[in-house]
């Protein structure tokens, strides 16, 4: 399994980012702009690991210096000022699910979307439930708006509400994993969201199917090497 090279973006290093962008035409290795704790970035790291792709990482610290994603240089790369962003095949793609779908279409082995159209619809449904229906409600930008005193309760309610729906859906779709017995894009969204639930101290007792699937996923190498606790920008106290 490939492990990419890493660069860390910090004040005074914006020139490095500019130089990398200018020299893109001469490189073939993808560049992932990532942050260790970003669940959206983790989804893409899992996909890259599963597809055994060699890539380079440039870390974007979402909290340091007011948030490095707000720099002019990164905004030029991704106007949404969010991670992840992936430079690949001469284009830049933002939004984790769009990145994963592109990887699936251009590097289809192993597949992350089932061949059966009904199962594929289930994978996309679960993926969007997690990536659009839960995660945005408890991400950093929203938590800043609700205020420090309300953040934990807000995040717990957002996650629990989504997990209530997901647990019910999985009763009809799950095998070993979210949809049947093959790892899919839905699983790439599930594990990071369960990690968020743990971080916000959500009681997972009411969600036995979610917990069972997550345990199976975390036993896989691709989920381990891409885990937030094992990234180059992981703080020492959070490493495992």
């Amino acid at each position: 399994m490939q492990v990419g090279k890493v660069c860390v973006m910090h004040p005074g290093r914006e020139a490095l980012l500019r130089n990398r962008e200018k020299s893109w035409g001469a490189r073939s290795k993808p560049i992932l702009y990532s942050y260790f704790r970003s669940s959206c970035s983790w989804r893409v790291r899992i996909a890259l690991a599963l597809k055994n792709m060699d890539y380079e990482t440039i870390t974007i610290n979402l909290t340091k210096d007011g948030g490095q994603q707000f720099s002019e240089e990164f905004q030029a790369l991704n106007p949404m000022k969010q991670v992840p962003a992936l430079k690949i095949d001469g284009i830049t793609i933002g939004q984790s699910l769009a990145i994963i779908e592109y990887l699936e279409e251009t590097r289809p082995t192993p597949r992350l979307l089932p061949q059966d159209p009904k199962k594929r619809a289930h994978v996309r449904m679960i993926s969007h439930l997690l990536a659009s229906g839960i995660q945005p409600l408890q991400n950093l930008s929203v938590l800043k708006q609700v205020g420090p005193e309300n953040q934990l309760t807000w995040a717990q309610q957002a996650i629990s509400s989504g997990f209530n729906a997901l647990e019910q859906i999985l009763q009809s779709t799950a095998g070993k994993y979210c949809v049947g017995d093959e790892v899919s894009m839905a699983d790439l969204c599930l594990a990071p969201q369960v990690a968020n639930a743990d971080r916000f101290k959500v009681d997972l007792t009411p969600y036995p199917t979610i917990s069972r699937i997550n345990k199976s996923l975390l036993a896989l190498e691709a989920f381990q090497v891409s885990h937030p606790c094992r990234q180059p920008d992981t703080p020492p106290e959070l490493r495992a």
Side-chain angles (χ1 to χ4, degrees):
M1 190 164 293
Q2 300 283 1
V3 178
K5 294 181 179 179
V6 179
C7 294
V8 179
M9 186 175 176
H10 53 75
R13 293 289 292 279
E14 287 85 359
L16 173 62
L17 177 56
R18 288 196 298 269
N19 291 337
R20 290 186 186 279
E21 304 307 318
K22 291 177 182 178
S23 64
W24 167 249
R27 83 165 62 242
S28 58
K29 184 183 295 187
I31 303 176
L32 176 65
Y33 297 83
S34 176
Y35 179 57
F36 82 99
R37 184 170 268 170
S38 162
S39 54
C40 302
S41 297
W42 188 8
R43 297 170 196 156
V44 175
R45 294 196 301 262
I46 299 168
L48 292 166
L50 285 169
K51 292 179 180 293
N52 199 33
M53 292 180 60
D54 188 20
Y55 65 98
E56 182 177 348
T57 298
I58 293 181
T59 62
I60 305 296
N61 192 310
L62 302 186
T63 61
K64 188 177 181 181
D65 307 316
Q68 294 172 349
Q69 70 274 27
F70 298 117
S71 69
E72 292 182 4
E73 288 74 19
F74 188 74
Q75 185 174 350
L77 181 77
N78 184 0
M80 277 297 288
K81 297 170 279 190
Q82 296 173 340
V83 294
L86 183 69
K87 287 194 70 70
I88 186 170
D89 300 336
I91 63 173
T92 302
I93 311 171
Q95 300 299 322
S96 61
L97 297 191
I99 293 171
I100 293 168
E101 294 249 16
Y102 179 79
L103 295 177
E104 183 70 1
E105 291 172 358
T106 59
R107 283 91 169 162
T109 304
R111 65 172 177 251
L112 298 176
L113 289 170
Q115 292 180 323
D116 178 80
K118 293 180 181 178
K119 289 184 177 180
R120 196 180 308 134
H122 285 150
V123 167
R124 287 185 168 126
M125 174 181 67
I126 293 169
S127 299
H128 285 283
L129 185 157
L130 290 158
S132 302
I134 302 178
Q135 191 276 335
L137 297 175
Q138 48 91 100
N139 71 5
L140 182 61
S141 61
V142 171
L143 293 180
K144 286 181 177 179
Q145 296 300 315
V146 302
E149 68 282 1
N150 299 317
Q151 289 180 358
L152 183 62
T153 301
W154 176 278
Q156 289 175 338
Q157 290 176 344
I159 295 170
S160 296
S161 177
F163 275 12
N164 287 336
L166 179 58
E167 181 71 18
Q168 183 176 343
I169 290 168
L170 291 173
Q171 303 311 305
S172 61
T173 67
K176 184 176 183 180
Y177 303 115
C178 284
V179 179
D181 296 326
E182 293 186 359
V183 173
S184 71
M185 181 170 68
D187 300 294
L188 276 58
C189 297
L190 179 70
Q193 190 56 56
V194 174
N196 285 341
D198 287 337
R199 183 157 61 95
F200 290 114
K201 300 179 175 59
V202 174
D203 179 13
L204 296 178
T205 305
Y207 314 116
T209 310
I210 291 174
S211 298
R212 173 184 62 78
I213 294 171
N214 184 63
K215 183 177 180 180
S216 296
L217 292 171
L218 294 182
L220 301 177
E221 182 184 6
F223 286 77
Q224 294 172 1
V225 300
S226 59
H227 195 281
C229 70
R230 297 183 178 178
Q231 298 312 299
D233 56 332
T234 305
E237 65 274 14
L238 297 179
R239 288 191 171 276

